[in-house]
């Protein structure tokens, strides 16, 4: 019983992630801005999921499209050089 209370207390202490694009009131994400897009890819070049990045569903969809568009236009690599 006490373990359950500790788990619930840990769950309550977790800080809720806030979508940074909603916070800054950004509606469009430019696919030319590779510095911004790199923040949302991991070291292998994969797109970071929204449960980790904290983005809302709408902005995660827009971000994913921007990253894929930048990759297609060779602005961003598909993988990092280290893992090639």
């Amino acid at each position: 019983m006490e373990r359950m209370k500790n788990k619930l207390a840990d769950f309550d202490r977790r800080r809720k992630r806030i979508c940074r694009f909603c916070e800054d009131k950004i509606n469009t994400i430019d696919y030319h801005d590779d510095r911004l897009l790199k923040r949302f890819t991991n070291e292998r070049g994969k797109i970071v999921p929204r449960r980790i990045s904290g983005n809302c569903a709408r902005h995660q969809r827009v971000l994913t499209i921007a990253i894929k568009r930048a990759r297609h236009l060779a602005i961003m690599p598909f993988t990092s050089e280290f893992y090639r």
Side-chain angles (χ1 to χ4, degrees):
M1 186 70 177
E2 194 166 311
R3 290 175 91 190
M4 187 69 164
K5 285 182 181 178
N6 287 339
K7 284 185 178 182
L8 289 174
D10 288 343
F11 182 75
D12 290 339
R13 276 188 250 153
R14 289 183 192 164
R15 197 176 82 193
K16 184 176 180 181
R17 296 178 191 265
I18 299 171
C19 177
R20 59 184 304 175
F21 298 110
C22 289
E23 198 173 57
D24 297 338
K25 296 181 181 177
I26 296 173
N27 290 327
T28 59
I29 300 171
D30 188 19
Y31 62 90
H32 292 287
D33 191 4
D34 62 331
R35 291 181 58 199
L36 175 72
L37 299 178
K38 279 183 181 177
R39 290 183 192 168
F40 296 99
T41 58
N42 63 12
E43 64 272 359
R44 293 191 137 203
K46 291 184 172 186
I47 300 170
V48 176
R50 73 183 195 110
R51 68 180 165 80
I52 295 173
S53 66
N55 292 334
C56 66
R58 180 176 170 266
H59 283 113
Q60 183 71 22
R61 281 193 299 269
V62 173
L63 180 72
T64 302
I65 290 170
I67 290 172
K68 288 180 180 178
R69 190 171 288 162
R71 283 176 179 166
H72 187 73
L73 295 173
I75 297 170
M76 283 184 66
F78 280 92
T79 61
S80 65
E81 289 183 26
F82 182 72
Y83 288 103
R84 285 184 186 170

